[in-house]
Amino acid sequence: MTFVSRTRLALFSAVSVLAFATVAEAQDGYGRLPPNAVLVTPQGEILDYIPESRDVQMMRDRRGRTVLVDSWGNVVATVMGSGRQGNEVRRRERNRDVYTNPDYGYSDPAFTDQGYSRPGEITGSIPDYRDASPRNVDREELPASLPMQDENDMAALPAEEAVPERQTLPTAARITKKSSAEITALQVFLDREGFSPGVIDGKTGSNVTKAIEAWQQATGETLDPNDTDDILERLRFTGGLPITTYTITAADAAGPYVASIPEDYAHKAVLPHLSFTSTTEMLGEKFHMDETYLRELNPGIDFTIPGTIIKVINPGEVKKGKVARIVADKYRKQVFAYDEAGTLISAYPATIGSSDTPSPSGTVQVDRIALNPGYTYNPKINFKQGQNDKVLTLQPGPNGPVGTVWIALSKPTYGIHGTPEPSKIGKTQSHGCVRLTNWDATELAKMVSVGTTVEFID
């Protein structure tokens, strides 16, 4: 028996094939979707997760189609009635026929992720999208020391500066019906290579496809995602099997943890830290895993007991190198990192801006880098959350508004940062900044330096 065959058998014995919930089952909470509905993003991609009913509401666009809209008025997905329609909508074009709703009819480019920092501190002024909705926001005038940003200012470029052009990446092969274990192996390989698929969850989706295309661009090779033997052989040279075992330590079980993360910033501010809420959340982030997937791999396990042996992802070594240029592609929802020779060395799925609060266009630079930053909420800068009318200082932690990393940009109030919800990276919209998973943001932060160029591509 060849090594690859033995490895493949070991993989499938270590990880059972996990059943996928159908769209109809997962969307029972909405109660109004067709049983065979397909959710399609404004960019024409099949949505590879099911939004929670508390995060979206159903509306009609100008064509009479059913759309799911988040609390900021952004279209998350259009509801297509049949799976057969999926292929017809895989056209990469923007959907500009959005619904009309006066409750979400504002456009305030100043309503963005804010952040200018001293070492170790972030000053911010936008709540996480879970923390407020536009109906409860009272905006105030900016102080004279901070210039108001309007739509023209957001899009304007110096006369001598050209808008960067989007590169064409080699198209990834379509992934055929593969088991969860096989998809996990593919995700782990990409993660080890520095071309992040986001959270590793044993599922296909746009983040996996984008990672394959970026890897192909960087290496000049073609990766067949359906050739599991080849992927396992590649894994053998980069750390071994994608699944390994881990023994929960006393420190893992002890934390510190918080019972929950409140939505109100005033309540957040009284917490001694914005740390993880559970051992599973901490372990999921440590091993680049979706928390639900971690539980599925370890059914019936109590993660709070030291000495317990569990199955986890083996993500391998952290990517290292010196990044000279970053490209934030708004359309692809992906960040690319290049070295001084112009070689693509890593890529990460990202949440970049929105139609109401776009990210800047053109070229900026990295201004400062803060690891494990605090966060300061200032109601006098662009927004007022609920009844909070005082400056609030939020302590550091992975569940803070900017996660564990803040890479400040020379465009005031903008940055590249982590997130408390890694599973939604590349699948929702931000408020102008660039969100990565905490582990991807940390990896990137350790490869950049002050002055690194950041190009935004529309």
Side-chain angles (χ1 to χ4, degrees):
M1 182 181 294
T2 66
F3 170 82
V4 170
S5 298
R6 291 195 303 272
T7 302
R8 191 170 186 176
L9 286 174
L11 171 63
F12 290 113
S13 63
V15 187
S16 59
V17 176
L18 302 174
F20 289 88
T22 65
V23 172
E25 292 169 343
Q27 294 179 339
D28 281 345
Y30 296 110
R32 291 171 288 175
L33 293 181
N36 58 349
V38 174
L39 303 182
V40 182
T41 70
Q43 288 75 37
E45 299 177 346
I46 302 298
L47 196 67
D48 53 3
Y49 77 107
I50 308 302
E52 297 181 10
S53 57
R54 65 184 175 86
D55 293 336
V56 297
Q57 60 177 300
M58 282 187 172
M59 307 191 80
R60 295 282 183 182
D61 67 10
R62 292 173 181 170
R63 296 184 185 179
R65 299 172 300 185
T66 300
V67 293
L68 302 182
V69 180
D70 67 18
S71 60
W72 295 97
N74 300 311
V75 175
V76 176
T78 300
V79 180
M80 310 300 288
S82 165
R84 290 187 297 272
Q85 292 173 290
N87 291 332
E88 300 174 9
V89 297
R90 285 185 181 274
R91 300 165 298 165
R92 293 184 176 271
E93 62 180 19
R94 298 184 183 274
N95 177 8
R96 302 190 183 277
D97 295 316
V98 298
Y99 66 96
T100 302
N101 186 332
D103 289 335
Y104 296 97
Y106 75 97
S107 178
D108 185 0
F111 207 85
T112 57
D113 284 305
Q114 304 296 326
Y116 46 90
S117 70
R118 294 182 292 274
E121 180 183 50
I122 294 300
T123 299
S125 66
I126 184 68
D128 187 275
Y129 76 93
R130 300 169 299 173
D131 297 339
S133 65
R135 292 188 182 95
N136 297 326
V137 174
D138 298 316
R139 291 179 294 280
E140 297 183 4
E141 293 295 328
L142 285 172
S145 60
L146 291 175
M148 176 66 75
Q149 296 173 331
D150 57 26
E151 291 183 79
N152 293 328
D153 178 59
M154 297 284 284
L157 292 176
E160 70 275 6
E161 191 172 341
V163 177
E165 295 183 359
R166 178 182 296 108
Q167 61 182 338
T168 301
L169 274 65
T171 302
R174 180 177 178 272
I175 301 176
T176 58
K177 187 175 182 181
K178 307 296 287 185
S179 73
S180 177
E182 291 173 301
I183 298 302
T184 296
L186 173 61
Q187 290 177 311
V188 172
F189 168 71
L190 293 167
D191 187 80
R192 290 180 186 175
E193 291 284 293
F195 296 87
S196 173
V199 292
I200 296 173
D201 56 6
K203 300 177 182 179
T204 60
S206 60
N207 286 345
V208 174
T209 299
K210 291 186 292 188
I212 294 172
E213 292 175 345
W215 182 89
Q216 292 181 155
Q217 175 74 10
T219 63
E221 299 181 51
T222 298
L223 182 67
D224 183 357
N226 303 301
D227 189 344
T228 302
D229 287 344
D230 175 61
I231 292 168
L232 291 174
E233 179 67 11
R234 292 176 184 271
L235 284 171
R236 183 166 73 92
F237 293 101
T238 59
L241 287 172
I243 301 292
T244 188
T245 58
Y246 177 79
T247 302
I248 296 176
T249 68
D252 293 335
Y257 300 108
V258 294
S260 63
I261 301 296
E263 294 184 355
D264 192 289
Y265 271 31
H267 297 162
K268 279 184 169 75
V270 301
L271 294 177
H273 41 74
L274 292 170
S275 56
F276 296 112
T277 60
S278 66
T279 312
T280 53
E281 186 182 26
M282 180 276 294
L283 292 171
E285 184 147 316
K286 180 175 184 175
F287 295 106
H288 304 184
M289 300 178 68
D290 178 73
E291 188 177 351
T292 299
Y293 188 45
L294 173 63
R295 292 185 180 278
E296 290 174 344
L297 286 181
N298 299 277
I301 292 293
D302 186 341
F303 294 88
T304 66
I305 301 176
T308 301
I309 299 175
I310 59 174
K311 296 174 184 176
V312 296
I313 293 301
N314 179 14
E317 298 295 325
V318 175
K319 184 79 173 185
K320 296 181 180 179
K322 182 174 177 55
V323 172
R325 181 170 67 102
I326 296 171
V327 173
D329 192 319
K330 302 178 188 178
Y331 182 70
R332 284 183 61 88
K333 296 182 180 179
Q334 195 170 21
V335 166
F336 302 91
Y338 298 84
D339 64 14
E340 292 182 354
T343 302
L344 178 62
I345 60 176
S346 61
Y348 310 98
T351 294
I352 310 175
S354 69
S355 57
D356 286 332
T357 55
S359 296
S361 295
T363 302
V364 295
Q365 291 78 39
V366 171
D367 196 45
R368 66 187 69 85
I369 302 163
L371 300 178
N372 198 31
Y375 186 89
T376 301
Y377 162 78
N378 189 338
K380 293 184 178 181
I381 302 179
N382 300 347
F383 90 101
K384 181 173 182 289
Q385 183 207 20
Q387 300 303 312
N388 294 321
D389 57 2
K390 298 180 180 179
V391 173
L392 299 171
T393 300
L394 279 60
Q395 297 303 313
N399 272 313
V402 294
T404 57
V405 176
W406 173 260
I407 303 174
L409 304 180
S410 56
K411 182 80 170 180
T413 76
Y414 291 100
I416 302 172
H417 61 83
T419 180
E421 293 190 297
S423 64
K424 293 186 177 181
I425 288 297
K427 303 171 184 178
T428 57
Q429 295 179 316
S430 72
H431 306 291
C433 288
V434 180
R435 293 176 183 235
L436 308 177
T437 66
N438 280 335
W439 56 87
D440 286 343
T442 300
E443 181 176 276
L444 179 62
K446 292 182 178 181
M447 293 193 291
V448 303
S449 56
V450 173
T452 298
T453 298
V454 181
E455 300 174 1
F456 285 86
I457 299 178
D458 295 319

